[in-house]
Amino acid sequence: LFFYGFLCIYALLGLYNLETLPVAWTDETMNLDPAIQYTKFHQYFSKLWPNSGAETVFASYPPLIQFWHILWLKFVQPTIFNVRLPFLIMHLTTFFLLYKILTQSLNKTISIFLIIIFAFDKSVFELSRSVRIEVIIMLLITLYFYLKSINTKQLYLGFIVGLIAISHLYTFPIVGVIVLKKILESSFKKSIPY
């Protein structure tokens, strides 16, 4: 109950916080622009990114966050609250999944303590209302390890790894380790005589 109470308080603070900074951050504006242009003109480009050629075809950033924005903007108007809300929900889902993962090997009190320390870190709290890709990456990585812990089908795990790979270039080492580990596990199983 304490953990769910914490989640509710964090959610209420997060909802209040979504519009307390009514001016969009530079990251928010730039990350949203290609999706807005696609929604308005059905062409994938950006007028804001300084990279050469971005005004013709946007290829300055891996596509996951743009895919998300394009999909989400089909259902809502691009207000600050609407754009930030799903990122808060993803953030809360990450905490929930972390709790499930941690309680598999630690007691509940220590698990809650670790999540609270993580959640109230200044940069983590700021991320909860931003539209930065880190929110999606944290959710995907946590989801991967949670699904792996409950023996989910490899197809679903592979799909999540694929999404992580198209989220940001700095995720390539993470994806590389996951793929290499899977290859080594497969090879090891094949080499054991039955």
Side-chain angles (χ1 to χ4, degrees), residues 52-79:
S52 177
E55 66 283 349
T56 309
V57 175
F58 182 70
S60 306
Y61 204 82
L64 182 61
I65 197 161
Q66 302 307 325
F67 290 166
W68 167 257
H69 286 313
I70 290 167
L71 177 68
W72 184 241
L73 292 177
K74 289 186 181 299
F75 302 103
V76 300
Q77 292 296 314
T79 65

Side-chain angles (χ1 to χ4, degrees), residues 31 44 58 61-71 87 90 133 135-137 140 159-168 171:
N31 278 328
Y44 193 55
F58 182 70
Y61 204 82
L64 182 61
I65 197 161
Q66 302 307 325
F67 290 166
W68 167 257
H69 286 313
I70 290 167
L71 177 68
F87 286 80
M90 288 183 226
I133 192 64
V135 176
I136 298 175
I137 292 170
L140 288 172
F159 179 70
I160 292 169
V161 171
L163 290 177
I164 294 169
I166 63 168
S167 63
H168 201 285
T171 63

Side-chain angles (χ1 to χ4, degrees), residues 118-170:
F118 176 66
F120 286 110
D121 176 84
K122 185 181 184 304
S123 58
V124 172
F125 186 72
E126 289 294 327
L127 277 176
S128 71
R129 69 126 183 257
S130 77
V131 298
R132 290 181 57 87
I133 192 64
E134 284 80 5
V135 176
I136 298 175
I137 292 170
M138 284 191 301
L139 174 62
L140 288 172
I141 291 172
T142 309
L143 181 61
Y144 173 83
F145 284 107
Y146 173 71
L147 292 176
K148 192 168 171 24
S149 75
I150 60 169
N151 296 319
T152 301
K153 290 183 180 179
Q154 294 300 314
L155 177 67
Y156 301 132
L157 294 174
F159 179 70
I160 292 169
V161 171
L163 290 177
I164 294 169
I166 63 168
S167 63
H168 201 285
L169 297 180
Y170 67 64

Side-chain angles (χ1 to χ4, degrees), residues 32-46:
L32 200 58
D33 184 57
I36 294 281
Q37 301 302 336
Y38 184 83
T39 304
K40 281 186 171 182
F41 305 111
H42 302 291
Q43 292 180 324
Y44 193 55
F45 69 96
S46 175

Side-chain angles (χ1 to χ4, degrees), residues 1-68:
L1 285 178
F2 183 81
F3 175 71
Y4 294 111
F6 156 73
L7 266 189
C8 288
I9 291 168
Y10 199 94
L12 291 172
L13 288 172
L15 283 170
Y16 171 75
N17 195 32
L18 287 182
E19 289 187 309
T20 55
L21 184 64
V23 178
W25 297 353
T26 306
D27 288 353
E28 291 177 305
T29 307
M30 290 186 71
N31 278 328
L32 200 58
D33 184 57
I36 294 281
Q37 301 302 336
Y38 184 83
T39 304
K40 281 186 171 182
F41 305 111
H42 302 291
Q43 292 180 324
Y44 193 55
F45 69 96
S46 175
K47 294 182 178 183
L48 299 181
W49 282 73
N51 306 62
S52 177
E55 66 283 349
T56 309
V57 175
F58 182 70
S60 306
Y61 204 82
L64 182 61
I65 197 161
Q66 302 307 325
F67 290 166
W68 167 257

